[in-house]
Amino acid sequence: MSYQVLARKWRPRSFREMVGQTHVLKALINALDNQRLHHAYLFTGTRGVGKTTIARILAKCLNCETGVSSTPCGQCSVCREIDEGRFVDLIEVDAASRTKVEDTRELLDNVQYSPTRGRYKVYLIDEVHMLSSHSFNALLKTLEEPPPHVKFLLATTDPQKLPVTILSRCLQFSLKNMPPERVVEHLTHVLGAENVPFEEDALWLLGRAADGSMRDAMSLTDQAIAFGEGKVLAADVRAMLGTLDHGQVYGVLHALLEGDARALLEAVRHLAEQGPDWGGVLAEMLNVLHRVAIAQALPEAVDNGQGDRDRVLALAQALPAEDVQFYYQMGLIGRRDLPLAPDPRGGFEMVLLRMLAFRPADAEGAPRSPLKDLGISKATADSNPNPVAGAAVAAPVASIAPPPVAAPQPQTTPAPAPAPVVEAAPVAASAPVIESAPVPVEPQPEVAAVAEPLAPAVEPEPPVAEAPVDLPWDEPAAPVAAAPAPVEPAAPAPAPAPAPAPAPAVAVSAPAPVEAPAPVVAEAPAEDDDRDEEPPPAEDYYEVDMESYGYLESEAQQEASEPEPEPAAMPATGLAAEWLDLFPRLGLAGMTASIGANCTLVAVDGDNWHLHLDPGQSALFNPNQQRRLNDALNQFHGRTLTLQVTLQKPEQETPAQAAARKRAERQRQAEASIAADPYVLQMKQQFAAVVRDGTIEPLEAKA
């Protein structure tokens, strides 16, 4: 007897033997049991998921000699002939080879005749999407109203190519792909019934290689049995499929976790000996990282189908979650770009080295193994073996390297007050002179004790500036004068030095050649450090009026302007309110507009007007500006007015203060709108997003 392949030998012959597709079987079984039969059924799905099998079982249910039911007997002549493919009233049509309209018309000419033996004449049209448009048109009328003894069963892998006129005349059932778990379960049953020894890992390899098709899984199993001489072993299946050993993938991931570039490249070299598909290697790495991410989220959800559950859980404990996501994303991008690499192996190595170089920064509390030294040269801070210099580097204070001096001289009196440079050897009068004899190697505790009062005034970052800062050396350093005493590493720090020596905190360094002879100024004290966090405001009294009154201002005037005006003591009423309404209509610009914006009207006596001007604008005010302001008032009113301007702080709100108040209100409204925006709230909740201060600006609005 000739051998029959597993896919045909184990083809289901009844609904209860079907694997999966429960959603389709339930509808068909209920329709058969309740005698609610449609005249046309359409089965869609990928190859090997059971479309033709379900159609044949349905034909058997319709024509079984025991009657129409969802459980055909399987023993009568009709059931046996359908199983053997020789039942006369089951007409199977291959639409891929009979696409012409003449073939369809010939087929439909026999529809009107009654079945020969069975209860129904069943037309099973496979790959129906291959029919031509004329064939579909010829089929429409018959498919809509066939004779009562005819049933149409259509099957296709590409339902998008079917006309909607065909789809609307059929009951459509979409068959799902077979998951690997379902495939492994069925292969276990089949191989057990066939008495074929197997390993579970091999079945998982076959289940994933089948890619959702049960027929492909059965065919691969036939091939694996032949390859393994009657056995289905994991090593044989891996060699047959050309898949990668998971142990080597874990070797690459462990080298990546350790940060060991040597081990990483060595693992790649071992992989290259097998001549693998480097894209497939990346795919295996992504599969492992996917399972690691699942283990971190839900450890009990990790299956042991590949026998590596313990390895996956160990990696999940060792790798931080952000590293797993980062490696997965970089592997996806690297797999996409791999065809662009000049050499596949080189592209794969570059992906791994990129993962190694750009691994995420350490997260607090995240498990991480320390990175090994990759052999990258590191710049040394100071190669001078002088112990005093070493102490200066280790001390947490600012250090100034002075230019070379001829010889160290003891200093009996304090240096002049403005001089911030400390020479190599001078010390305070009460301190002993530093000799040239060797100094102990570890003076850090003593220096730290001396510098302790200055600790709040020192930033943790290196204080050396990128370029020398030109400062007038004869100008007293007021911020540094507040320091209790200058730092002397070798001195015992007897008492705070007097105020005439306001030198910055320094550490004495041995004479050594420097790149630039100019001294480097230490950082400012802590009370001035906030200036680097937020630059001073660039707006002034009259710049705010641009939003409300639309006048422009020159760049030089902006540089000479004052900070934003303070709020007024009283709101504008009476003449002050009239000035707020009048000022935008005068058409002023430049410094004249700035002066007018900081004025308020205090008295009107006929044609005599009296204004109060903020004294802060006195630098801009002169007779020319008063004349221009007077001319603008004359032109607006059409008569000659006499204007008097007094430098006095306005008690009521000026146009500049009103503009500043309106802008502040718009800013508060904009910030409140952003804070209450549902999308912003969702981003904060899901991604821990924050709104950076100073980045919200209100939209321009008409005053």
Side-chain angles (χ1 to χ4, degrees):
M1 182 178 180
S2 61
Y3 175 74
Q4 191 175 18
V5 299
L6 295 178
R8 294 184 59 187
K9 181 178 180 180
W10 288 91
R11 182 190 291 269
R13 290 176 170 80
S14 63
F15 286 143
R16 65 175 177 272
E17 295 180 6
M18 286 289 300
V19 178
Q21 315 304 344
T22 307
H23 62 293
V24 176
L25 300 181
K26 181 178 180 180
L28 294 177
I29 290 174
N30 291 336
L32 289 168
D33 292 341
N34 296 324
Q35 302 297 318
R36 299 181 64 89
L37 301 175
H38 202 269
H39 59 268
Y41 295 87
L42 173 63
F43 302 102
T44 64
T46 188
R47 75 276 179 268
V49 293
K51 299 184 297 297
T52 305
T53 299
I54 291 179
R56 290 179 178 177
I57 296 175
L58 182 57
K60 189 188 302 184
C61 294
L62 293 173
N63 289 292
C64 181
E65 294 179 356
T66 59
V68 177
S69 68
S70 60
T71 55
C73 66
Q75 304 296 328
C76 64
S77 59
V78 173
C79 293
R80 290 198 306 269
E81 290 177 5
I82 291 177
D83 290 337
E84 296 171 0
R86 54 185 182 87
F87 185 59
V88 66
D89 289 326
L90 176 59
I91 300 99
E92 295 193 20
V93 180
D94 181 17
S97 59
R98 303 184 64 179
T99 61
K100 297 180 180 180
V101 65
E102 292 81 5
D103 299 328
T104 305
R105 288 173 179 170
E106 180 182 354
L107 184 68
L108 297 177
D109 288 342
N110 297 322
V111 169
Q112 55 184 334
Y113 300 111
S114 299
T116 303
R117 290 192 53 201
R119 194 175 292 106
Y120 294 98
K121 181 180 287 189
V122 181
Y123 288 89
L124 174 55
I125 306 177
D126 207 354
E127 301 299 334
V128 68
H129 67 275
M130 298 294 291
L131 292 178
S132 64
S133 59
H134 295 291
S135 298
F136 281 126
N137 293 333
L139 187 63
L140 285 179
K141 189 60 179 176
T142 305
L143 190 62
E144 182 178 7
E145 296 179 356
H149 59 270
V150 172
K151 301 293 181 183
F152 285 98
L153 306 180
L154 313 180
T156 178
T157 57
D158 196 356
Q160 288 78 13
K161 293 183 179 180
L162 294 181
V164 292
T165 51
I166 296 292
L167 295 176
S168 65
R169 287 166 168 80
C170 303
L171 291 184
Q172 183 175 350
F173 297 94
S174 297
L175 279 67
K176 301 177 182 178
N177 287 1
M178 296 291 178
E181 294 80 5
R182 181 92 51 183
V183 174
V184 170
E185 179 183 352
H186 186 61
L187 290 181
T188 302
H189 169 70
V190 170
L191 293 179
E194 293 285 334
N195 295 322
V196 176
F198 64 91
E199 293 179 352
E200 187 176 357
D201 293 352
L203 300 188
W204 279 99
L205 290 172
L206 294 173
R208 284 191 299 274
D211 194 21
S213 172
M214 186 64 75
R215 182 171 60 233
D216 288 3
M218 302 293 283
S219 300
L220 289 173
T221 304
D222 263 326
Q223 184 179 354
I225 294 174
F227 187 89
E229 298 180 355
K231 299 179 181 179
V232 181
L233 305 179
D236 294 338
V237 173
R238 191 175 290 110
M240 179 189 75
L241 298 176
T243 55
L244 192 66
D245 185 5
H246 267 64
Q248 294 179 317
V249 174
Y250 285 106
V252 173
L253 290 176
H254 280 294
L256 194 63
L257 172 64
E258 295 290 338
D260 192 346
R262 184 183 301 276
L264 193 65
L265 296 179
E266 186 68 18
V268 175
R269 187 182 65 82
H270 285 300
L271 284 172
E273 294 176 355
Q274 302 179 8
D277 173 23
W278 297 105
V281 177
L282 268 179
E284 290 294 331
M285 287 184 59
L286 294 176
N287 287 333
V288 174
L289 290 172
H290 167 246
R291 299 179 67 205
V292 169
I294 292 178
Q296 290 176 340
L298 192 63
E300 58 270 18
V302 181
D303 63 80
N304 195 30
Q306 302 178 18
D308 58 350
R309 188 174 187 272
D310 294 337
R311 284 185 171 185
V312 171
L313 294 177
L315 272 179
Q317 291 292 330
L319 274 174
E322 63 269 18
D323 284 21
V324 175
Q325 299 297 329
F326 171 75
Y327 293 151
Y328 189 87
Q329 183 66 23
M330 189 161 286
L332 283 179
I333 297 175
R335 191 181 181 196
R336 180 197 66 187
D337 297 341
L338 197 60
L340 303 179
D343 175 57
R345 175 180 173 179
F348 179 76
E349 289 178 345
M350 281 301 298
V351 173
L352 297 182
L353 294 176
R354 196 177 302 128
M355 292 179 180
L356 193 64
F358 296 100
R359 62 190 303 172
D362 291 340
E364 183 178 357
R368 179 184 296 280
S369 299
L371 285 174
K372 294 185 177 180
D373 191 358
L374 305 183
I376 302 174
S377 61
K378 301 177 178 61
T380 57
D382 190 1
S383 59
N384 195 329
N386 191 301
V388 178
V393 173
V397 296
S399 62
I400 299 178
V405 295
Q409 296 294 336
Q411 181 177 338
T412 58
T413 58
V421 181
V422 179
E423 294 183 354
V427 295
S430 60
V433 180
I434 301 176
E435 300 293 343
S436 59
V439 184
V441 178
E442 295 181 357
Q444 291 86 343
E446 184 178 355
V447 176
V450 175
E452 185 176 358
L454 296 179
V458 179
E459 288 291 329
E461 300 179 356
V464 180
E466 296 182 359
V469 181
D470 295 330
L471 290 179
W473 297 109
D474 56 348
E475 181 181 353
V480 185
V487 179
E488 299 290 340
V506 298
V508 179
S509 174
V514 295
E515 296 182 358
V520 181
V521 179
E523 287 186 345
E527 58 267 15
D528 294 337
D529 289 344
D530 292 338
R531 293 180 299 176
D532 294 336
E533 298 295 332
E534 181 176 357
E539 290 135 354
D540 46 35
Y541 290 131
Y542 51 85
E543 185 179 355
V544 296
D545 296 334
M546 295 171 62
E547 299 180 1
S548 301
Y549 308 119
Y551 64 86
L552 300 176
E553 184 173 274
S554 66
E555 193 173 317
Q557 295 165 355
Q558 290 180 1
E559 294 177 357
S561 59
E562 295 294 331
E564 188 171 303
E566 298 179 356
M570 298 173 56
T573 59
L575 294 177
E578 294 180 6
W579 179 253
L580 288 181
D581 180 64
L582 173 64
F583 173 74
R585 295 182 285 173
L586 296 179
L588 299 176
M591 287 190 292
T592 307
S594 177
I595 292 172
N598 287 276
C599 289
T600 184
L601 184 61
V602 295
V604 175
D605 184 9
D607 291 341
N608 297 323
W609 287 39
H610 187 192
L611 299 177
H612 279 178
L613 173 63
D614 190 347
Q617 298 291 320
S618 60
L620 303 178
F621 182 67
N622 53 52
N624 290 333
Q625 302 301 333
Q626 182 174 352
R627 178 181 54 80
R628 293 175 183 174
L629 183 57
N630 199 349
D631 292 343
L633 287 171
N634 294 342
Q635 183 178 359
F636 180 78
H637 288 89
R639 67 180 191 273
T640 302
L641 302 177
T642 301
L643 182 64
Q644 180 183 358
V645 179
T646 304
L647 292 176
Q648 183 177 342
K649 188 73 174 179
E651 296 181 357
Q652 300 190 30
E653 193 174 48
T654 64
Q657 292 171 336
R661 174 178 52 79
K662 293 178 181 179
R663 191 184 63 179
E665 292 176 357
R666 291 201 302 272
Q667 180 69 27
R668 286 193 295 269
Q669 292 174 1
E671 293 176 355
S673 176
I674 292 296
D677 188 271
Y679 296 103
V680 175
L681 295 176
Q682 185 178 6
M683 295 276 289
K684 289 182 178 180
Q685 181 180 3
Q686 296 184 358
F687 305 105
V690 294
V691 179
R692 294 180 58 187
D693 295 336
T695 58
I696 300 176
E697 295 183 4
L699 297 176
E700 294 294 335
K702 295 182 179 180

